[in-house]
Amino acid sequence: MLKVTYLGHSCVAATDGEHNIIIDPFITNNPQAPIGADDIEVDYVLLTHGHGDHLGDAIPIAKKNDATIIAPFELAVYVAKLGAEVHHMHIGGAYNFPFGRVKLTIAHHGSAAGEELAYTGNPCGFLITMGGKTLYHPGDTGLFYDMKLIGDMNSIDLAFLPIGDNFTMGVDDAVKAVEFLQPQKVVPMHYKTFPVIDVEPTEFSDKLKASPTEVIIIEPGESLEA
Ligand code: NI
Ligand code: MN
């Protein structure tokens, strides 16, 4: 069993009933966030990159919960300096955690943290196997052809894909990503948070009507089972 809760923007919480993780916990300054950062109880925090709308409340959440932050090496070093417990990884590598397996995938994007734009290495995506299901969270990225390889090598039960355009894939590229990844279910993310990414998710679902992949549009705070 894998239950996933969308917390707006790119923030996704997941539980197998025993372990709790959260990806890119942008809560405090996120107008979509349905809960406060203090309400979050997790064992691990996964970060795709250092941008403020992904790093978000990761450090206070990790400290409050005695949770470990899983991140690409340079970003892990950055958050460790700010007092968080970390597990460093890098792209192409996978590791078996108590909650499941995490593999880092490429992402075509930037990664820098804070107003000083501190160097935090390459951004990543996550392939997570938890509760017997495989979840793909690509972080912020443009479309890339290796998504076909990811789809060929993994049976993805649930994928979250950015559709907001401007900073990431827009609708048409996300539709192509679904074709490459062939997930059972896909949930659009990274839209409407800011005026510049004000994209209608129904554009995405309309274009996938004939696809074998089920498109699920969920509001922040809503959950689904993979
Ligand atoms: Ni970003
Ligand atoms: Mn972003």
Side-chain angles (χ1 to χ4, degrees), residues 48-54 109-111 140 167-168 190:
T48 62
H49 64 295
H51 291 164
D53 59 319
H54 298 260
H109 196 65
S111 183
D140 279 358
F167 299 113
T168 67
H190 210 274

Side-chain angles (χ1 to χ4, degrees), residues 171-186:
V171 166
D172 288 342
D173 285 3
V175 166
K176 180 57 81 172
V178 170
E179 194 182 301
F180 288 160
L181 294 162
Q182 299 169 57
Q184 293 291 320
K185 297 174 185 170
V186 66

Side-chain angles (χ1 to χ4, degrees), residues 28 35-45 57-69 82-85:
T28 298
I35 56 171
D38 283 349
D39 303 325
I40 290 167
E41 293 182 1
V42 289
D43 310 303
Y44 287 86
V45 179
D57 302 286
I59 292 159
I61 289 170
K63 285 182 178 173
K64 178 170 179 275
N65 289 276
D66 283 321
T68 300
I69 293 180
L82 296 172
E85 289 293 320

Side-chain angles (χ1 to χ4, degrees), residues 94-159:
Y95 187 80
N96 292 322
F97 293 92
F99 65 87
R101 186 168 178 84
V102 176
K103 184 174 185 181
L104 266 60
T105 56
I106 61 167
H108 289 319
H109 196 65
S111 183
E115 283 181 8
E116 73 281 20
L117 292 180
Y119 175 72
T120 51
N122 285 310
C124 74
F126 293 114
L127 265 173
I128 300 163
T129 307
M130 181 175 181
K133 301 286 182 176
T134 298
L135 169 68
Y136 178 52
H137 186 302
D140 279 358
T141 186
L143 177 66
F144 55 89
Y145 196 63
D146 280 13
M147 283 183 178
K148 185 160 178 13
L149 185 62
I150 293 169
D152 285 349
M153 292 180 69
N154 300 276
S155 177
I156 299 169
D157 295 288
L158 174 63

Side-chain angles (χ1 to χ4, degrees), residues 1 3 31 37 39 52 56 79 90 92-94 100 113 135-136 142 158 187 194 214:
M1 186 283 275
K3 185 183 165 196
D39 303 325
V79 296
H90 232 307
L135 169 68
Y136 178 52
L158 174 63
V187 178
F194 317 116
E214 181 187 358

